[in-house]
């Protein structure tokens, strides 16, 4: 997951390959609650790991369910008629799928509970659900604003007698989650009598109710409905665990990859995008996004648990066709259509999307504002959005996309990186995708192809102990970029040579070079591996540094290590530190920094480093060593240490690490096309 302040997507070119999508949020949280209300233990497979399921799992533990998690498989033993543990204070983040159903279920189970969330959760309406529960006789108080969380359920004496004889009325036109919440809670009160729920006003998002009904059936609850207006829960209802259940992959998450297949040309040799985990028979309404994508020109095929998407033929399905669509049946996935509209000929109108206004953010306002930043012409109203793409390639703008703590805004705007103007796209606060799809960007990168020159590289070269390693690693972390410590590669090569019994000299150069060509090195979670040996510490000694300096003076060894270093240039970008990153390995890098410091200063730093690790050292010897290495590194015939002609020199003798990192980031930002709009 990217936890950086922003993530810059380089212009992406084509896409192909296979993705296995994470479990659906809607199904995951429904299944968790149903399992918690059931008799028996349920094994839930392929559960989504996300913020929203995390708060649900924590809440269920707090009320007394026993839960074992191993990877994406969770064993839950339900309450099965027991009372929940109370009093309890439940924190439900920004998870509407936890807040609404838990409020209803806990009101019917009895006890004393406070349910709260993040500030945005406290702006998301729950009044219609509370009104329905109060109608029944439940005692629920608002702790903040009327009609919104946080709230308190105050059933200290157990559940009060409930008025179940008459139909329970609930509004269906603000959020279908209110009806879902009642449908999941009321079976608890339907042991001896049937219960009828009537929807007042038009029911929005019917497909989500269909998911609820399909899952209730798996847990033994029969609900009949008349035209989605009147729902009858059968008398004698009793929650029973199905034993084990698989969570389908999220059809809304699939929409980004369906769109990707529709807009990105296939990478050479591979055709289209294959999605595993969800297919055309999905119980999720958002699967009907496929119809909309086809209407826009995508070629989609599929089976029970898979989909395959290819871009339409030029002139037939590409560029995409503009559509005018009532999106009530695909409310979440429709946001993806809004970004696809950027690649369509003509104006696309998405209608009947008023529910967007009460989601994670006001999605109509958010989409309109961000699409405009990219150069689109957008009109928005109470319940629609109308998008006309930039008229010419030159009308596209490089934008820094604000994401409003809304996972779907972040994910759908990533698709703008396929723009024909080949502009990068900045996604602010990329970690907001954790709500439903923590590894979204990794998965996007895994199937995206890009011209190698578009993957940015920041080179930080300089003499030994200048602090470049620390600065480069910090810059990489701040940008979410990969990191290449090229010095480590020479250190490992020297170590591998010595371990193979080869002294480091020109006599052994051919053999060392051939070893270097296939060096089995891996960098993983801060550790460095040579085949199966963890050599992280072994390559950090002063002696290993000297040996590296010697091995690095052998021209054929340097050549043999070029391909390995180039292989680090991967999405979304690279920070490379060394001696010749800017001069030899990445000569076209858009930013080259030459980081240096006085020999005295570097000797002092190295001295402190060694002492803190418990080694003994003398500053004078260290300084002499450093100067010897500088001399060797800068006078050798191949790739001598020197700043590239276009490098910016940064003397950090008097700077802290943080100051040096900030300076590099400022230089980097100055080179970005959206730096101004990001600040403005
Ligand atoms: O940065 P370092 O101290 O880990 O590097 C060890 C040696 O490797 C250094 O003395 C010179 C050599 N080196 C090089 O020649 N080219 C690089 N790009 C990186 C390191």
């Amino acid at each position: 997951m990217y936890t950086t302040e922003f993530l810059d997507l380089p212009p992406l070119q084509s896409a192909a390959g296979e993705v296995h999508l994470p479990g659906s949020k809607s199904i995951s949280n429904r299944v968790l609650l149903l399992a918690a209300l059931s008799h028996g233990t349920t094994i839930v497979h392929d559960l989504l790991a996300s913020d929203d399921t995390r708060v649900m799992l924590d809440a269920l533990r707090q009320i007394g369910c026993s839960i074992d998690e191993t990877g994406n498989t969770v064993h839950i033993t339900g309450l099965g008629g027991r009372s929940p543990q109370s009093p309890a204070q439940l924190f439900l983040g920004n998870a509407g799928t936890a807040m609404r159903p838990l409020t209803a279920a806990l009101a019917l189970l009895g006890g004393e509970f406070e349910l709260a969330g993040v500030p945005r959760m406290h702006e998301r309406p729950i009044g219609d659900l509370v009104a329905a529960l109060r109608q029944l006789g439940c005692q629920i108080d608002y702790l903040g604003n009327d009609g919104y969380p946080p709230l308190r359920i105050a059933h200290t004496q157990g559940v009060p007698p409930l008025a179940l004889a008459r139909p329970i009325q609930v509004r269906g036109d603000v959020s279908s989650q209110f009806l879902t919440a009642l449908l999941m809670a009321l079976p608890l009160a339907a042991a001896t009598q049937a219960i009828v729920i009537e929807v007042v006003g038009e029911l929005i998002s019917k497909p989500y109710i269909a998911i609820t009904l399909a899952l209730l059936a798996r847990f033994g609850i029969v609900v009949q409905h008349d035209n989605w207006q009147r729902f009858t829960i059968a008398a004698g209802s009793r929650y029973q665990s199905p034993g084990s259940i698989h969570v389908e992959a999220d059809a809304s998450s699939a929409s980004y990859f369906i769109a990707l297949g529709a807009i990105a040309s296939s990478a050479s040799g591979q055709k289209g995008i294959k999605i595993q985990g969800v297919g055309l028979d999905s119980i999720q309404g958002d699967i009907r996004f496929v119809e909309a994508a086809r209407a826009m020109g995508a070629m989609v095929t599929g089976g029970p648990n898979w989909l395959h998407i290819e871009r339409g033929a030029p002139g037939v399905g590409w560029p995409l066709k503009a559509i005018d669509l009532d999106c009530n049946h695909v409310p979440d996935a429709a946001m993806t259509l809004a970004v696809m509209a950027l690649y369509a000929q003509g104006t696309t109108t998405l209608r009947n999307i008023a529910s967007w206004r009460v989601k994670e953010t006001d999605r109509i306002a958010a989409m309109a504002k961000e699409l405009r930043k990219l150069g689109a012409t957008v009109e928005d109203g109470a319940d629609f959005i109308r998008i006309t793409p930039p008229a010419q390639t030159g009308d596209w703008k490089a934008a820094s996309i604000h994401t409003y703590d809304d996972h779907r805004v972040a994910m759908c705007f990533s698709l703008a990186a396929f723009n024909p103007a080949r502009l990068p796209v900045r996604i602010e606060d990329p970690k907001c995708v954790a709500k439903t799809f923590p590894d979204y960007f990794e998965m996007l990168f895994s199937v995206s192809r890009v011209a190698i020159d578009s993957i940015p590289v920041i080179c930080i070269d300089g003499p030994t102990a200048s602090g470049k390693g620390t600065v480069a690693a910090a810059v990489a972390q701040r940008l979410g970029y990969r990191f290449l410590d090229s010095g480590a590669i020479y250190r490992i090569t020297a170590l591998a040579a010595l371990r193979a019994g080869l002294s480091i000299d020109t006599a052994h150069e051919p053999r060392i070079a051939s070893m270097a060509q296939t060096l089995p090195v891996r960098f993983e979670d801060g550790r460095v591996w040579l085949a199966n040996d963890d050599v992280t510490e072994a390559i950090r000694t002063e002696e290993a540094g000297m040996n590296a300096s010697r091995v690095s003076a052998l021209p054929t060894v340097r050549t043999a290590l070029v391909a390995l270093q180039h292989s680090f240039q991967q999405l979304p970008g690279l920070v490379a530190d060394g001696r010749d990153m800017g001069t030899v390995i990445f000569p076209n890098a858009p930013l080259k920094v030459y980081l240096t410091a006085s020999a005295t200063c570097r000797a002092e730093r190295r001295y402190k480093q060694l002492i803190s690790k418990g080694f003994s050292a003398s500053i004078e010897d260290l300084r002499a060593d450093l100067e010897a290495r500088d001399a060797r590194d800068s006078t050798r015939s191949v790739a001598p240490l020197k700043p590239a002609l276009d490098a910016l020199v940064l003397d950090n003798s008097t700077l802290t690490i943080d100051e040096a990192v900030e300076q590099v980031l400022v230089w980097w930002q100055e080179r970005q096309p959206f730096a101004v709009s990001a600040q403005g």
Side-chain angles (χ1 to χ4, degrees), residues 26 51 62 130 147 236 273 300 414 505 570 583 609 632 642:
S26 309
D51 295 348
Q62 267 181 279
V130 170
I273 299 286
V300 187
S414 67
D505 48 41
Q570 288 180 26
T583 48
Q609 233 177 30
R632 184 185 299 113
K642 61 165 193 233

Side-chain angles (χ1 to χ4, degrees), residues 18-24 27 45-46 246-251 254 273-284 287 290 300-309:
E18 189 169 307
V19 289
H20 193 130
L21 298 181
S24 145
I27 296 180
H45 298 279
D46 298 332
H246 283 264
V247 175
E248 270 184 25
D250 190 292
I273 299 286
K274 175 122 188 225
I275 297 174
Q276 294 285 4
V278 60
L280 292 173
D281 64 345
S282 167
I283 63 167
Q284 301 168 72
I287 197 64
V290 166
V300 187
T301 49
N305 212 27
W306 61 273
L307 297 167
H308 184 266
I309 307 95

Side-chain angles (χ1 to χ4, degrees), residues 468 486 491 549 552 558 579-581 629 633 636:
K468 64 191 164 16
S486 61
R491 288 168 183 260
S549 175
S552 73
R558 295 195 79 85
R579 304 293 188 286
D580 60 345
M581 297 297 98
R629 268 171 77 183
D633 291 348
R636 69 186 175 214

Side-chain angles (χ1 to χ4, degrees), residues 296 315 318-323 340-348 388-389:
M296 292 187 86
W318 183 256
L320 298 178
K321 295 187 263 278
I323 52 171
M340 286 172 80
L342 292 170
Y343 300 95
Q345 264 174 336
T347 299
T348 289
T388 310

Side-chain angles (χ1 to χ4, degrees), residues 193-210:
Q193 69 199 104
I195 298 179
V196 177
I197 307 171
E198 274 178 8
V199 178
V200 181
E202 201 213 339
L203 178 62
I204 58 166
S205 317
K206 294 186 185 83
Y208 285 102
I209 301 301

